[in-house]
Amino acid sequence: MVVETYKLIHTIKKMYPVVMFFKDRYFPDGKTYYSEKALIESKKGGRKVAPFVIPVVGGIVMDAEGYRADYVKAPYIAPKMPITADELEQKTFGEAPDSGRTPASRENEIESEHMDDLRHAIYRRQELMCTEEVTTGRVVMKHFATADDAIRDENYQVEILQFYDDHFGNVYKFSKPWQDMTAAEKIQEFYKISLILHKRGVHATDIVMTGDVSMDLMTDKEFLDFYDKMRVKTGEIDQKALPSGVTRNGSINVNGVIYTLFTYDEVYEDLDGQLREMLPKGTIAFLRPGMGTTAYAQVTFVKGTGFKSYAERIVPRVVASETNNMIEVQMFSRPVPYPLDWEGWLVANIYDSIDDSGDSDNADEDEDITTHTDDGLGMKVKTEAEIRAMTRKADVIAYAESIGLSGLTTDSNLESLKGAVLTYQDEV
């Protein structure tokens, strides 16, 4: 049995690579830090023009537009799987009943299988973090102490990775219900989105859709006919299957802007055992490869008589317990996926309410502010504006507990606490 952490780290790196379409394409791996915090740097695209100056001046200083740098406490992902004596005494998957193998000879094989399973689970979590950032602008992370708490979704501490200030300005609302649009109107909506991104200095190249949106477009005769003109090169519909629940549908030309169409229908099993979609049904996202990156923080745990830190993307560990007569295979990762430009994409949903303001640049409008409501117990629920105006952590935590949200601590920053309360109010 291999137990040395450094050897296990190199073993993990040599395992067959796992293809994660969303993370690999849009949030590829970046730096790893010897710290519990990761440095994230973002910058708006910007479209400033250089000034003319008198030759003797030598130049005019331009401000760094929209630059932001923050140190973010990295989340902890730490799944584990036990290896018991009973498990080793049983034949492994695919092993002949009369193989004659001993429990000791099966140990390394089962250890490597558990490591691979845990590795896949961590990658799925990272993939989900990336899809949540694209659709909501933040990742709500519930940290549990036990597996039972995770299954029951209780007794957790909330941390939030949030990449916007007052409101999430990357949501586009269609000017007409999707099901009532003609093919030409849908393409016009795509062009409006292109114009908004162009104004922001962003060049999106991908349109990522869920299966229901893809089926709607790929069965729309008018839409297919538009991209099948004999003498006009407007695009090509040519569906090809890719790994990890992804299909490439071809490319389209939206008034000079070329997009590659992808259908993304990957699912995951949540902690309660239910299968859920990585992207909510009805999603259409306008993205570009490399729009973000994933930083990692160090992992620290007891090794021998002291603590040891490892700055790696995934850190495996094997711990033996003679008292419990078992071995635990553990896996640690502290990823922080983040966008390089917090205004660098747009996302829409065909089931959302429409924009009736008459303004095509609707992605920059303020979110609706909830009004005072009564919960039936005589308690008034604060509006979003009131929560955002709170300036003390203790006040936010006290209000959270008054509406039934427990687990918040002063270890989180003020904005994360406010975000957790708003998320809880929306859900509950």
Side-chain angles (χ1 to χ4, degrees), residues 19 70 96 116 144 151 164 206-207 215 222 227 238 255 262 280 308-309 343 350 356 370 397:
V19 178
D70 296 292
D116 198 39
F144 298 93
I151 292 173
Y164 59 89
D206 296 354
I207 298 178
M215 277 296 295
E222 289 184 4
Y227 290 105
D238 181 18
N255 200 25
F262 292 100
K308 186 73 174 177
S309 296
E343 292 185 345
I350 64 174
D356 54 5
T370 55
I397 294 173

Side-chain angles (χ1 to χ4, degrees), residues 299-335:
V299 173
T300 302
F301 49 70
V302 174
K303 188 74 172 177
T305 58
F307 287 89
K308 186 73 174 177
S309 296
Y310 302 89
E312 298 286 347
R313 295 179 176 90
I314 294 182
V315 180
R317 185 188 188 197
V318 175
V319 180
S321 172
E322 293 184 6
T323 303
N324 298 321
N325 195 32
M326 63 182 292
I327 295 171
E328 273 192 353
V329 179
Q330 305 171 350
M331 203 80 78
F332 301 86
S333 184
R334 304 193 67 181

